[in-house]
Amino acid sequence: MRAFGDAVLVAGKDLRIERRSRVATNQVLPFAILVLILFAFALDPDRGVLSRVGPGLFWVTVLFSALLAIQRSFAIEADDDARDALRLSGLDGAGIFLGKAGAIAIELALLEVVLGVGVAVLYNIPIRGAALLTATCVLTTVGIAAAGTIYGVIAAGLRVRDTLLPLLALPVLAPVLLAATRASDAALAAAPADGWPWVRLLAVFTTIYVAFGVIAFGPLLEEA
Amino acid sequence: MRTRVSLVLGWTTILALGLTVWLALFVSPADVNQKDAVRLLYLHVPTAWIAMYVSFGVTTVASVLWLWKRTRSPKWDLLAGASAEIGVLFIGLTLIIGSIWGKTTWGVWWTWDARLTLTAVLLVLYLGYLAVRRAPAATEVRAKRAAFVALAAAVDIPIVHFAVEWWRTLHQPASILDDRRLLDPQIHGSMGTTLWVGVLAFTLLYSWLLLKRYRLAQMEQQIEDARLDEAIAERRAEAEEAGLPVPT
Amino acid sequence: MIAVTHFGYLVAGYSITFGAIGGYAAWLVLRQRALGRAATDKRSPDEPSGTTS
Protein backbone atom coordinates (compact mmCIF):
# COMPACT_ATOMS: atom_id res chain seq x y z
CA MET A 1 0.00 0.00 0.00
CA ARG A 2 1.21 3.43 -0.92
CA ALA A 3 0.60 4.74 2.57
CA PHE A 4 3.34 2.57 4.03
CA GLY A 5 5.86 3.67 1.46
CA ASP A 6 4.99 7.31 2.16
CA ALA A 7 5.21 6.61 5.90
CA VAL A 8 8.72 5.29 5.59
CA LEU A 9 9.64 8.33 3.51
CA VAL A 10 8.25 10.82 6.04
CA ALA A 11 9.63 8.96 9.06
CA GLY A 12 13.01 8.83 7.41
CA LYS A 13 12.91 12.57 6.75
CA ASP A 14 11.94 13.38 10.35
CA LEU A 15 14.58 11.08 11.80
CA ARG A 16 17.24 12.45 9.48
CA ILE A 17 16.37 15.99 10.58
CA GLU A 18 16.66 14.83 14.17
CA ARG A 19 20.01 13.21 13.53
CA ARG A 20 21.33 16.44 12.05
CA SER A 21 19.81 18.85 14.59
CA ARG A 22 20.02 16.55 17.59
CA VAL A 23 17.18 18.33 19.39
CA ALA A 24 15.85 15.15 20.98
CA THR A 25 19.23 14.02 22.25
CA ASN A 26 20.46 17.43 23.32
CA GLN A 27 17.27 18.90 24.73
CA VAL A 28 14.47 16.41 25.29
CA LEU A 29 16.58 13.67 26.84
CA PRO A 30 18.33 15.96 29.35
CA PHE A 31 14.91 17.43 30.15
CA ALA A 32 13.58 13.96 30.92
CA ILE A 33 16.48 13.09 33.18
CA LEU A 34 16.09 16.46 34.88
CA VAL A 35 12.44 15.67 35.60
CA LEU A 36 13.47 12.36 37.17
CA ILE A 37 15.89 14.22 39.39
CA LEU A 38 13.32 16.86 40.30
CA PHE A 39 10.89 14.14 41.37
CA ALA A 40 13.59 12.81 43.69
CA PHE A 41 14.04 16.28 45.18
CA ALA A 42 10.33 16.83 45.60
CA LEU A 43 9.49 13.47 47.10
CA ASP A 44 10.94 12.04 50.23
CA PRO A 45 14.58 11.18 49.47
CA ASP A 46 13.89 8.08 51.52
CA ARG A 47 14.26 5.58 48.70
CA GLY A 48 11.18 3.68 49.79
CA VAL A 49 8.80 6.22 48.29
CA LEU A 50 10.63 6.59 44.99
CA SER A 51 10.88 2.87 44.33
CA ARG A 52 7.20 2.42 45.04
CA VAL A 53 6.04 5.16 42.70
CA GLY A 54 8.86 4.70 40.19
CA PRO A 55 6.73 3.39 37.31
CA GLY A 56 4.26 6.26 37.67
CA LEU A 57 7.04 8.85 37.67
CA PHE A 58 8.63 7.14 34.68
CA TRP A 59 5.48 7.34 32.59
CA VAL A 60 4.68 10.91 33.64
CA THR A 61 8.18 11.90 32.55
CA VAL A 62 7.71 10.09 29.25
CA LEU A 63 4.43 11.95 28.70
CA PHE A 64 5.95 15.37 29.30
CA SER A 65 8.91 14.53 27.09
CA ALA A 66 6.52 13.31 24.42
CA LEU A 67 4.83 16.72 24.37
CA LEU A 68 8.17 18.27 23.55
CA ALA A 69 8.86 15.69 20.86
CA ILE A 70 5.46 16.26 19.27
CA GLN A 71 5.81 20.02 19.28
CA ARG A 72 9.24 19.63 17.68
CA SER A 73 7.79 17.31 15.04
CA PHE A 74 5.40 20.02 13.92
CA ALA A 75 7.76 22.91 14.47
CA ILE A 76 10.03 21.55 11.73
CA GLU A 77 7.07 21.74 9.34
CA ALA A 78 6.44 25.37 10.18
CA ASP A 79 9.70 26.60 8.67
CA ASP A 80 10.09 27.39 4.99
CA ASP A 81 6.45 26.56 4.23
CA ALA A 82 7.25 22.90 4.69
CA ARG A 83 3.62 22.32 5.60
CA ASP A 84 2.45 23.54 2.23
CA ALA A 85 5.12 21.43 0.56
CA LEU A 86 3.85 18.41 2.48
CA ARG A 87 0.30 19.10 1.37
CA LEU A 88 1.24 19.53 -2.27
CA SER A 89 3.66 16.63 -2.31
CA GLY A 90 1.00 14.10 -3.23
CA LEU A 91 1.89 11.98 -0.26
CA ASP A 92 -0.96 9.99 1.23
CA GLY A 93 -2.42 11.65 4.38
CA ALA A 94 -2.45 8.36 6.24
CA GLY A 95 1.13 7.79 5.20
CA ILE A 96 2.26 11.16 6.51
CA PHE A 97 0.48 10.40 9.78
CA LEU A 98 2.08 6.97 10.15
CA GLY A 99 5.46 8.42 9.24
CA LYS A 100 5.34 11.31 11.72
CA ALA A 101 3.88 9.17 14.49
CA GLY A 102 6.40 6.47 13.72
CA ALA A 103 9.34 8.86 14.00
CA ILE A 104 8.01 10.18 17.32
CA ALA A 105 7.53 6.61 18.55
CA ILE A 106 11.09 5.68 17.69
CA GLU A 107 12.45 8.76 19.44
CA LEU A 108 10.30 8.01 22.50
CA ALA A 109 11.35 4.37 22.54
CA LEU A 110 15.02 5.31 22.65
CA LEU A 111 14.22 7.86 25.35
CA GLU A 112 12.42 5.18 27.36
CA VAL A 113 15.42 2.88 27.26
CA VAL A 114 17.64 5.57 28.75
CA LEU A 115 14.97 6.66 31.22
CA GLY A 116 14.34 3.06 32.23
CA VAL A 117 17.97 2.63 33.14
CA GLY A 118 17.81 5.96 34.96
CA VAL A 119 14.76 4.97 36.99
CA ALA A 120 16.20 1.57 37.83
CA VAL A 121 19.44 3.10 39.02
CA LEU A 122 18.29 6.38 40.60
CA TYR A 123 15.17 5.00 42.26
CA ASN A 124 16.64 1.63 43.09
CA ILE A 125 14.08 -0.51 41.28
CA PRO A 126 14.97 -4.03 40.17
CA ILE A 127 13.65 -4.81 36.69
CA ARG A 128 11.36 -7.84 36.46
CA GLY A 129 8.67 -9.10 34.10
CA ALA A 130 10.52 -8.16 30.90
CA ALA A 131 7.83 -9.51 28.55
CA LEU A 132 5.05 -7.54 30.22
CA LEU A 133 7.20 -4.42 30.41
CA THR A 134 8.12 -4.65 26.75
CA ALA A 135 4.52 -5.11 25.67
CA THR A 136 3.48 -2.19 27.85
CA CYS A 137 6.21 0.07 26.50
CA VAL A 138 5.54 -0.75 22.86
CA LEU A 139 1.79 -0.20 23.05
CA THR A 140 2.02 2.90 25.23
CA THR A 141 4.67 4.48 23.03
CA VAL A 142 2.67 3.88 19.86
CA GLY A 143 -0.49 5.17 21.57
CA ILE A 144 1.21 8.35 22.80
CA ALA A 145 2.79 8.97 19.40
CA ALA A 146 -0.49 8.42 17.54
CA ALA A 147 -2.66 10.58 19.81
CA GLY A 148 0.05 13.22 20.02
CA THR A 149 0.40 13.42 16.24
CA ILE A 150 -3.34 13.93 15.81
CA TYR A 151 -3.51 16.72 18.35
CA GLY A 152 -0.24 18.08 17.08
CA VAL A 153 -1.67 18.65 13.62
CA ILE A 154 -4.84 20.12 15.12
CA ALA A 155 -2.87 22.56 17.25
CA ALA A 156 -0.40 23.31 14.44
CA GLY A 157 -3.21 24.69 12.29
CA LEU A 158 -4.15 27.21 14.96
CA ARG A 159 -1.97 29.98 16.16
CA VAL A 160 -1.90 29.18 19.90
CA ARG A 161 -0.34 25.78 19.26
CA ASP A 162 2.23 25.56 22.03
CA THR A 163 -0.17 26.01 24.92
CA LEU A 164 -3.00 24.16 23.22
CA LEU A 165 -1.26 20.84 22.61
CA PRO A 166 -0.86 19.80 26.28
CA LEU A 167 -4.46 20.77 27.07
CA LEU A 168 -5.76 18.65 24.19
CA ALA A 169 -3.44 15.67 24.41
CA LEU A 170 -3.02 15.04 28.13
CA PRO A 171 -6.67 14.34 29.08
CA VAL A 172 -6.86 11.86 26.26
CA LEU A 173 -3.59 10.23 27.32
CA ALA A 174 -4.53 10.08 31.02
CA PRO A 175 -6.07 6.59 30.68
CA VAL A 176 -2.96 5.46 28.82
CA LEU A 177 -0.85 6.72 31.69
CA LEU A 178 -3.05 4.84 34.14
CA ALA A 179 -2.94 1.56 32.25
CA ALA A 180 0.80 1.76 31.57
CA THR A 181 1.58 2.45 35.23
CA ARG A 182 -0.64 -0.39 36.51
CA ALA A 183 0.86 -2.83 34.04
CA SER A 184 4.40 -1.73 34.94
CA ASP A 185 3.62 -2.03 38.64
CA ALA A 186 2.40 -5.58 38.10
CA ALA A 187 5.49 -6.51 36.11
CA LEU A 188 7.91 -5.14 38.71
CA ALA A 189 6.00 -6.80 41.53
CA ALA A 190 6.48 -10.12 39.73
CA ALA A 191 2.68 -10.47 39.42
CA PRO A 192 2.25 -10.33 35.63
CA ALA A 193 -1.23 -11.86 35.77
CA ASP A 194 -2.50 -8.54 37.15
CA GLY A 195 -0.77 -6.62 34.40
CA TRP A 196 -1.98 -8.28 31.20
CA PRO A 197 -5.58 -6.98 31.45
CA TRP A 198 -4.11 -3.46 31.45
CA VAL A 199 -2.09 -4.34 28.38
CA ARG A 200 -5.31 -5.36 26.67
CA LEU A 201 -6.76 -1.95 27.53
CA LEU A 202 -3.64 -0.30 26.10
CA ALA A 203 -4.04 -2.31 22.92
CA VAL A 204 -7.62 -1.04 22.53
CA PHE A 205 -6.62 2.58 23.10
CA THR A 206 -3.68 2.38 20.74
CA THR A 207 -5.75 0.79 17.98
CA ILE A 208 -8.39 3.50 18.32
CA TYR A 209 -5.87 6.35 18.17
CA VAL A 210 -3.98 4.89 15.22
CA ALA A 211 -7.22 4.32 13.32
CA PHE A 212 -8.43 7.83 14.14
CA GLY A 213 -5.14 9.28 12.96
CA VAL A 214 -5.10 7.35 9.70
CA ILE A 215 -8.56 8.67 8.87
CA ALA A 216 -8.37 12.19 10.24
CA PHE A 217 -4.81 13.34 9.60
CA GLY A 218 -5.18 13.95 5.89
CA PRO A 219 -8.24 16.20 6.20
CA LEU A 220 -6.69 18.01 9.16
CA LEU A 221 -3.49 18.72 7.28
CA GLU A 222 -5.41 20.70 4.72
CA GLU A 223 -6.05 24.32 5.55
CA ALA A 224 -9.83 24.06 5.76
CA MET B 1 -38.83 36.56 15.42
CA ARG B 2 -38.58 33.52 17.54
CA THR B 3 -38.70 35.38 20.86
CA ARG B 4 -42.13 33.91 21.54
CA VAL B 5 -40.65 30.41 21.66
CA SER B 6 -37.84 31.41 23.96
CA LEU B 7 -40.28 33.27 26.22
CA VAL B 8 -42.64 30.32 26.55
CA LEU B 9 -39.75 27.93 26.96
CA GLY B 10 -38.14 30.18 29.54
CA TRP B 11 -41.23 30.42 31.72
CA THR B 12 -41.98 26.72 31.43
CA THR B 13 -38.42 26.04 32.51
CA ILE B 14 -38.73 28.26 35.56
CA LEU B 15 -41.99 26.53 36.53
CA ALA B 16 -40.50 23.07 36.06
CA LEU B 17 -37.40 23.97 38.05
CA GLY B 18 -39.54 25.45 40.79
CA LEU B 19 -41.61 22.28 40.92
CA THR B 20 -38.45 20.22 41.09
CA VAL B 21 -37.03 22.21 43.99
CA TRP B 22 -40.34 22.02 45.86
CA LEU B 23 -40.57 18.27 45.37
CA ALA B 24 -36.91 17.74 46.17
CA LEU B 25 -36.74 19.80 49.31
CA PHE B 26 -40.26 19.56 50.77
CA VAL B 27 -42.34 16.74 49.37
CA SER B 28 -40.00 13.81 48.95
CA PRO B 29 -38.90 11.99 52.07
CA ALA B 30 -35.41 11.80 53.47
CA ASP B 31 -33.53 8.64 52.65
CA VAL B 32 -33.17 5.91 55.23
CA ASN B 33 -29.37 5.83 54.96
CA GLN B 34 -28.37 9.18 53.49
CA LYS B 35 -31.01 11.21 55.35
CA ASP B 36 -31.53 14.58 53.70
CA ALA B 37 -28.31 14.41 51.69
CA VAL B 38 -30.28 12.45 49.10
CA ARG B 39 -31.94 15.74 48.11
CA LEU B 40 -28.68 16.72 46.45
CA LEU B 41 -29.02 13.81 44.06
CA TYR B 42 -32.15 15.34 42.55
CA LEU B 43 -29.82 17.98 41.13
CA HIS B 44 -26.77 15.81 40.60
CA VAL B 45 -28.35 13.09 38.48
CA PRO B 46 -30.22 15.40 36.07
CA THR B 47 -27.18 17.63 35.49
CA ALA B 48 -25.04 14.55 34.83
CA TRP B 49 -27.47 12.97 32.40
CA ILE B 50 -28.24 16.17 30.51
CA ALA B 51 -24.56 17.06 30.26
CA MET B 52 -23.34 13.67 29.07
CA TYR B 53 -26.16 12.38 26.94
CA VAL B 54 -27.89 15.49 25.69
CA SER B 55 -25.37 18.36 25.61
CA PHE B 56 -22.33 16.46 24.51
CA GLY B 57 -24.50 14.19 22.39
CA VAL B 58 -25.74 17.18 20.42
CA THR B 59 -22.17 18.43 20.09
CA THR B 60 -21.07 15.08 18.72
CA VAL B 61 -23.91 14.79 16.22
CA ALA B 62 -23.54 18.40 15.11
CA SER B 63 -19.81 17.88 14.62
CA VAL B 64 -20.43 14.84 12.46
CA LEU B 65 -22.98 16.75 10.40
CA TRP B 66 -20.48 19.55 9.88
CA LEU B 67 -17.69 17.18 8.88
CA TRP B 68 -19.85 15.29 6.38
CA LYS B 69 -19.61 17.37 3.25
CA ARG B 70 -23.16 16.74 2.16
CA THR B 71 -24.65 18.29 5.29
CA ARG B 72 -21.92 20.82 6.01
CA SER B 73 -23.31 24.15 7.14
CA PRO B 74 -22.03 26.81 9.55
CA LYS B 75 -25.07 26.31 11.75
CA TRP B 76 -23.82 22.85 12.84
CA ASP B 77 -20.54 24.36 13.96
CA LEU B 78 -22.33 27.04 15.99
CA LEU B 79 -24.73 24.49 17.48
CA ALA B 80 -21.91 22.17 18.50
CA GLY B 81 -20.11 24.99 20.28
CA ALA B 82 -23.22 26.28 22.05
CA SER B 83 -24.19 22.84 23.28
CA ALA B 84 -20.67 22.07 24.48
CA GLU B 85 -20.50 25.25 26.52
CA ILE B 86 -23.72 24.35 28.32
CA GLY B 87 -22.43 20.81 28.75
CA VAL B 88 -19.30 22.08 30.43
CA LEU B 89 -21.40 24.17 32.82
CA PHE B 90 -23.58 21.17 33.70
CA ILE B 91 -20.76 18.70 34.08
CA GLY B 92 -18.94 21.17 36.30
CA LEU B 93 -22.06 21.42 38.46
CA THR B 94 -22.33 17.62 38.44
CA LEU B 95 -18.85 17.34 39.88
CA ILE B 96 -19.42 20.07 42.47
CA ILE B 97 -22.77 18.76 43.72
CA GLY B 98 -21.40 15.23 43.59
CA SER B 99 -18.44 16.35 45.69
CA ILE B 100 -20.73 17.93 48.30
CA TRP B 101 -22.86 14.79 48.33
CA GLY B 102 -19.73 12.67 48.64
CA LYS B 103 -18.65 14.66 51.68
CA THR B 104 -21.90 13.77 53.44
CA THR B 105 -21.89 10.10 52.48
CA TRP B 106 -18.25 9.11 52.20
CA GLY B 107 -16.78 11.82 54.38
CA VAL B 108 -14.42 13.02 51.64
CA TRP B 109 -14.74 15.78 49.04
CA TRP B 110 -13.13 13.63 46.37
CA THR B 111 -12.03 10.08 45.69
CA TRP B 112 -10.14 8.65 42.74
CA ASP B 113 -12.86 6.20 41.87
CA ALA B 114 -13.06 5.34 38.17
CA ARG B 115 -16.28 7.16 37.40
CA LEU B 116 -15.32 10.39 39.17
CA THR B 117 -11.89 10.47 37.59
CA LEU B 118 -13.21 9.86 34.09
CA THR B 119 -15.92 12.49 34.57
CA ALA B 120 -13.24 15.00 35.56
CA VAL B 121 -11.34 13.96 32.41
CA LEU B 122 -14.55 14.59 30.46
CA LEU B 123 -14.72 18.13 31.80
CA VAL B 124 -11.13 18.84 30.79
CA LEU B 125 -11.66 17.27 27.34
CA TYR B 126 -14.48 19.66 26.59
CA LEU B 127 -12.61 22.61 28.07
CA GLY B 128 -9.98 21.75 25.48
CA TYR B 129 -12.69 21.72 22.83
CA LEU B 130 -13.85 25.18 23.90
CA ALA B 131 -10.23 26.38 23.83
CA VAL B 132 -9.90 25.23 20.22
CA ARG B 133 -13.08 27.14 19.36
CA ARG B 134 -11.52 30.32 20.76
CA ALA B 135 -8.26 29.99 18.83
CA PRO B 136 -7.54 32.86 16.46
CA ALA B 137 -7.95 31.20 13.09
CA ALA B 138 -10.20 31.32 10.05
CA THR B 139 -13.73 30.09 10.77
CA GLU B 140 -13.51 27.04 8.51
CA VAL B 141 -10.08 26.03 9.82
CA ARG B 142 -11.24 26.33 13.40
CA ALA B 143 -14.54 24.54 12.78
CA LYS B 144 -12.86 21.53 11.23
CA ARG B 145 -10.36 21.13 14.01
CA ALA B 146 -12.99 21.65 16.69
CA ALA B 147 -15.17 18.98 15.08
CA PHE B 148 -12.40 16.39 15.26
CA VAL B 149 -11.61 17.29 18.85
CA ALA B 150 -15.33 16.91 19.66
CA LEU B 151 -15.38 13.42 18.19
CA ALA B 152 -12.32 12.38 20.16
CA ALA B 153 -13.78 13.82 23.37
CA ALA B 154 -17.06 11.98 22.80
CA VAL B 155 -15.24 8.67 23.15
CA ASP B 156 -15.02 9.30 26.90
CA ILE B 157 -18.81 9.38 27.29
CA PRO B 158 -19.48 5.65 26.91
CA ILE B 159 -16.36 5.00 28.95
CA VAL B 160 -17.78 7.02 31.87
CA HIS B 161 -21.08 5.20 31.38
CA PHE B 162 -19.56 1.73 31.60
CA ALA B 163 -16.75 2.64 33.99
CA VAL B 164 -18.38 1.17 37.04
CA GLU B 165 -18.83 -2.30 35.52
CA TRP B 166 -15.51 -2.41 33.70
CA TRP B 167 -13.50 -1.34 36.68
CA ARG B 168 -15.00 -3.99 38.87
CA THR B 169 -13.34 -6.61 36.71
CA LEU B 170 -9.96 -4.92 36.96
CA HIS B 171 -10.17 -3.64 40.53
CA GLN B 172 -11.65 -5.50 43.46
CA PRO B 173 -13.56 -2.83 45.43
CA ALA B 174 -17.11 -2.18 44.30
CA SER B 175 -18.24 1.34 43.86
CA ILE B 176 -19.72 2.90 46.96
CA LEU B 177 -21.71 5.42 44.97
CA ASP B 178 -25.11 4.02 44.22
CA ASP B 179 -27.34 6.63 42.67
CA ARG B 180 -28.73 3.73 40.65
CA ARG B 181 -31.01 3.02 43.55
CA LEU B 182 -32.98 6.03 42.48
CA LEU B 183 -33.39 4.50 39.04
CA ASP B 184 -34.65 1.24 40.50
CA PRO B 185 -38.29 1.03 39.30
CA GLN B 186 -39.18 -0.47 42.63
CA ILE B 187 -38.60 2.91 44.24
CA HIS B 188 -42.00 4.32 43.68
CA GLY B 189 -43.58 7.35 45.06
CA SER B 190 -42.19 10.77 45.46
CA MET B 191 -38.50 9.91 45.11
CA GLY B 192 -38.86 8.50 41.64
CA THR B 193 -41.26 11.23 40.59
CA THR B 194 -38.97 13.95 41.85
CA LEU B 195 -36.10 12.52 39.90
CA TRP B 196 -37.99 12.38 36.64
CA VAL B 197 -39.46 15.85 37.13
CA GLY B 198 -35.91 17.02 37.71
CA VAL B 199 -34.70 15.40 34.49
CA LEU B 200 -37.56 17.03 32.59
CA ALA B 201 -36.90 20.43 34.16
CA PHE B 202 -33.20 20.32 33.33
CA THR B 203 -33.97 19.23 29.79
CA LEU B 204 -36.18 22.29 29.40
CA LEU B 205 -33.45 24.41 30.96
CA TYR B 206 -30.90 23.00 28.51
CA SER B 207 -33.21 23.73 25.59
CA TRP B 208 -33.71 27.34 26.63
CA LEU B 209 -30.00 27.88 27.26
CA LEU B 210 -29.16 26.27 23.93
CA LEU B 211 -31.59 28.47 22.05
CA LYS B 212 -30.14 31.59 23.64
CA ARG B 213 -26.54 30.52 23.25
CA TYR B 214 -27.03 29.51 19.64
CA ARG B 215 -28.57 32.87 18.76
CA LEU B 216 -25.72 34.58 20.54
CA ALA B 217 -23.24 32.53 18.53
CA GLN B 218 -25.00 33.51 15.30
CA MET B 219 -24.76 37.17 16.22
CA GLU B 220 -21.09 36.86 17.13
CA GLN B 221 -20.39 35.14 13.82
CA GLN B 222 -22.19 37.87 11.90
CA ILE B 223 -20.20 40.56 13.65
CA GLU B 224 -16.95 38.70 13.00
CA ASP B 225 -17.80 38.34 9.32
CA ALA B 226 -18.82 41.99 9.07
CA ARG B 227 -15.50 43.05 10.62
CA LEU B 228 -13.63 40.90 8.14
CA ASP B 229 -15.51 42.44 5.22
CA GLU B 230 -14.78 45.89 6.58
CA ALA B 231 -11.09 45.15 6.95
CA ILE B 232 -10.91 43.83 3.38
CA ALA B 233 -12.74 46.91 2.08
CA GLU B 234 -10.32 49.18 3.93
CA ARG B 235 -7.30 47.35 2.53
CA ARG B 236 -8.74 47.69 -0.99
CA ALA B 237 -9.38 51.40 -0.51
CA GLU B 238 -5.81 51.88 0.69
CA ALA B 239 -4.45 49.99 -2.29
CA GLU B 240 -6.53 51.95 -4.74
CA GLU B 241 -5.42 55.24 -3.23
CA ALA B 242 -1.81 54.18 -3.49
CA GLY B 243 -2.42 53.35 -7.14
CA LEU B 244 -1.63 49.67 -6.66
CA PRO B 245 -3.48 46.96 -8.59
CA VAL B 246 -6.47 45.57 -6.69
CA PRO B 247 -7.60 41.97 -7.16
CA THR B 248 -11.22 41.57 -8.14
CA MET C 1 -38.33 21.26 56.26
CA ILE C 2 -37.83 21.33 60.03
CA ALA C 3 -34.97 19.48 61.66
CA VAL C 4 -33.21 18.76 58.40
CA THR C 5 -29.87 16.97 58.42
CA HIS C 6 -26.97 18.28 56.33
CA PHE C 7 -28.66 21.66 56.11
CA GLY C 8 -25.48 23.54 55.25
CA TYR C 9 -24.59 21.12 52.48
CA LEU C 10 -28.04 21.42 50.96
CA VAL C 11 -27.90 25.20 51.05
CA ALA C 12 -24.45 25.13 49.45
CA GLY C 13 -25.44 22.65 46.76
CA TYR C 14 -28.67 24.31 45.76
CA SER C 15 -27.35 27.85 45.85
CA ILE C 16 -24.24 27.00 43.83
CA THR C 17 -26.39 25.22 41.24
CA PHE C 18 -28.99 27.91 40.76
CA GLY C 19 -26.48 30.68 41.24
CA ALA C 20 -24.31 29.35 38.41
CA ILE C 21 -27.27 28.67 36.13
CA GLY C 22 -28.82 32.04 36.88
CA GLY C 23 -25.49 33.78 36.31
CA TYR C 24 -24.95 32.04 32.98
CA ALA C 25 -28.51 32.78 31.85
CA ALA C 26 -28.08 36.42 32.83
CA TRP C 27 -24.81 36.62 30.92
CA LEU C 28 -26.52 35.18 27.81
CA VAL C 29 -29.36 37.67 27.94
CA LEU C 30 -27.14 40.68 28.65
CA ARG C 31 -24.60 39.74 25.98
CA GLN C 32 -27.34 39.26 23.40
CA ARG C 33 -28.70 42.71 24.16
CA ALA C 34 -25.23 44.27 24.01
CA LEU C 35 -24.46 42.69 20.64
CA GLY C 36 -27.90 43.63 19.33
CA ARG C 37 -27.20 47.24 20.26
CA ALA C 38 -23.74 47.12 18.70
CA ALA C 39 -25.15 45.76 15.44
CA THR C 40 -27.86 48.42 15.13
CA ASP C 41 -25.43 51.20 16.09
CA LYS C 42 -23.11 50.10 13.31
CA ARG C 43 -25.92 49.85 10.83
CA SER C 44 -27.60 53.27 11.25
CA PRO C 45 -24.85 55.53 9.84
CA ASP C 46 -24.15 53.17 6.91
CA GLU C 47 -27.43 51.66 5.75
CA PRO C 48 -31.14 52.45 5.81
CA SER C 49 -32.69 50.68 8.77
CA GLY C 50 -34.94 48.66 6.51
CA THR C 51 -32.30 46.03 5.83
CA THR C 52 -32.04 42.92 7.95
CA SER C 53 -28.97 40.73 8.31
Side-chain angles (χ1 to χ4, degrees), chain A residues 26 41 44 71 74 80 100 119 124 128 131 164 180 196:
Chain A
N26 291 352
F41 281 12
D44 195 341
Q71 282 170 334
F74 285 93
D80 303 324
K100 282 204 144 309
V119 165
N124 200 26
R128 279 184 277 226
L164 199 56
W196 288 109

Side-chain angles (χ1 to χ4, degrees), chain B residues 125-178:
Chain B
L125 283 171
Y126 280 97
L127 283 175
Y129 171 78
L130 292 179
V132 170
R133 292 196 67 85
R134 293 215 172 88
T139 311
E140 285 271 313
V141 170
R142 201 175 54 204
K144 178 187 271 196
R145 275 145 186 78
F148 276 111
V149 172
L151 290 186
V155 172
D156 191 28
I157 298 175
I159 296 178
V160 172
H161 183 84
F162 291 114
V164 181
E165 279 114 76
W166 291 354
W167 254 260
R168 232 179 254 136
T169 61
L170 286 170
H171 288 297
Q172 270 20 55
S175 177
I176 317 164
L177 170 63
D178 203 4

Side-chain angles (χ1 to χ4, degrees), chain B residues 94-111:
Chain B
T94 302
L95 287 169
I96 293 174
I97 307 168
S99 169
I100 298 176
W101 181 87
K103 180 69 176 147
T104 65
T105 336
W106 306 326
V108 287
W109 295 106
W110 186 260
T111 176

Side-chain angles (χ1 to χ4, degrees), chain B residues 10-44:
Chain B
W11 284 111
T12 320
T13 301
I14 292 180
L15 283 175
L17 285 174
L19 179 63
T20 305
V21 171
W22 179 65
L23 286 175
L25 292 179
F26 297 99
V27 172
S28 67
D31 181 68
V32 165
N33 299 315
Q34 304 167 34
K35 311 264 177 6
D36 288 294
V38 73
R39 302 183 192 280
L40 286 168
L41 293 182
Y42 298 122
L43 295 182
H44 174 74

